[in-house]
Amino acid sequence: MTPRRSTDTYDVKSTGSGSLTIGKVGRVVLSLFAGDVSEFSGRAKRWSGWNWPPFFLVLALGATALIAGPSGPARQFAWVYAAIGTAVVLSFCRVVGVVGDSRSPVPRALVQGSALLLAVLGLVGMDHLAEHGEIDVTGRTHLSPSGPMTRMSAAQVVVDGPAQRSWLRLTVAVEDADPLQQSCTPESELTLQLIGGSNTGRVEGVRAGTPVELPLGGSRTEVRVQVALSAEEGCLLAVSVASAAFHD
């Protein structure tokens, strides 16, 4: 007797979290992400608890340096920020095993030692800048009297507050008070004299916009610089402080 074949067709729909379709998609997704996660987890299991104290020490040194950082031009802090940032990156890479991941302890010790050294260097550098770094005092200066100056007239640049460093770098700007009526700026010159200072605090023949270094010396409650203008007859010039900074 020949078995009877069934000609009926059945449609099977797969739905739900256990379906074949969802399972394939899930495996694709897991193949993209789970491998990296498992690898990272496996590496994390190998992290040693002894790696974390040096990392936190580097963070503490860097945070202390940043908190204690003085005010001043950003350019003078560039190397300090670079040292602290490099120290944190090296120390973190050492913790996660990106560098120094070998059986020999020498590479690991070199990486962690370099990170600690850079962090200490950043802290010491920030402390040095707090004691001897440049201080921008442009906002603390004013010209007295503040009006336009004529040929052979004089005024004073006053820096409020004590002199916190040994030198004053002063840049004076000179512009025509009425550019439509005259052009006297190219021929004008300045003479700067530190009031109460020695003859070394006098500089002649200064062009507008040229930085001048004035030795302060001693303790001062206020810094005053005599500014004498030399220009052609009939010129009316506006004199102002372009920048001023204390430094050692």
Side-chain angles (χ1 to χ4, degrees):
M1 181 176 180
T2 304
R4 185 177 180 180
R5 294 183 180 180
S6 175
T7 58
D8 296 335
T9 303
Y10 299 94
D11 293 332
V12 179
K13 296 183 179 180
S14 178
T15 59
S17 58
S19 66
L20 179 63
T21 305
I22 298 300
K24 289 182 178 180
V25 174
R27 282 194 294 272
V28 172
V29 174
L30 288 176
S31 67
L32 293 176
F33 297 100
D36 295 337
V37 173
S38 61
E39 181 183 355
F40 184 80
S41 300
R43 179 174 292 176
K45 292 179 181 179
R46 297 194 299 269
W47 293 354
S48 173
W50 293 105
N51 295 334
W52 289 100
F55 173 70
F56 289 128
L57 178 58
V58 168
L59 285 182
L61 292 172
T64 302
L66 295 178
I67 293 174
S71 60
R75 66 179 184 278
Q76 68 179 344
F77 300 105
W79 69 273
V80 176
Y81 293 152
I84 295 174
T86 304
V88 173
V89 171
L90 284 178
S91 186
F92 181 76
C93 290
R94 171 64 193 93
V95 169
V96 301
V98 175
V99 292
D101 190 11
S102 65
R103 294 183 178 181
S104 175
V106 176
R108 297 192 295 269
L110 288 177
V111 171
Q112 193 62 68
S114 300
L116 287 172
L117 181 61
L118 287 172
V120 172
L121 180 63
L123 181 61
V124 173
M126 194 68 79
D127 182 69
H128 175 78
L129 291 175
E131 293 292 332
H132 304 285
E134 182 175 313
I135 302 175
D136 187 3
V137 293
T138 306
R140 291 163 46 187
T141 63
H142 65 275
L143 198 69
S144 179
S146 58
M149 298 177 62
T150 58
R151 180 177 181 269
M152 301 305 293
S153 63
Q156 287 186 6
V157 173
V158 182
V159 183
D160 298 327
Q164 299 166 279
R165 296 292 185 266
S166 302
W167 290 80
L168 170 65
R169 182 187 302 114
L170 183 64
T171 304
V172 179
V174 179
E175 298 178 349
D176 292 307
D178 189 355
L180 298 179
Q181 298 295 327
Q182 61 182 10
S183 178
C184 299
T185 303
E187 292 77 19
S188 62
E189 292 183 348
L190 300 168
T191 298
L192 305 180
Q193 170 69 56
L194 185 67
I195 298 178
S198 61
N199 291 333
T200 58
R202 179 182 178 88
V203 183
E204 299 179 350
V206 179
R207 292 288 184 178
T210 303
V212 176
E213 301 284 354
L214 299 173
L216 299 176
S219 60
R220 299 170 180 270
T221 57
E222 190 177 63
V223 177
R224 290 178 174 268
V225 180
Q226 186 81 10
V227 180
L229 175 65
S230 176
E232 295 182 356
E233 187 69 32
C235 289
L236 188 64
L237 299 171
V239 180
S240 61
V241 177
S243 64
F246 289 139
H247 69 94
D248 285 337

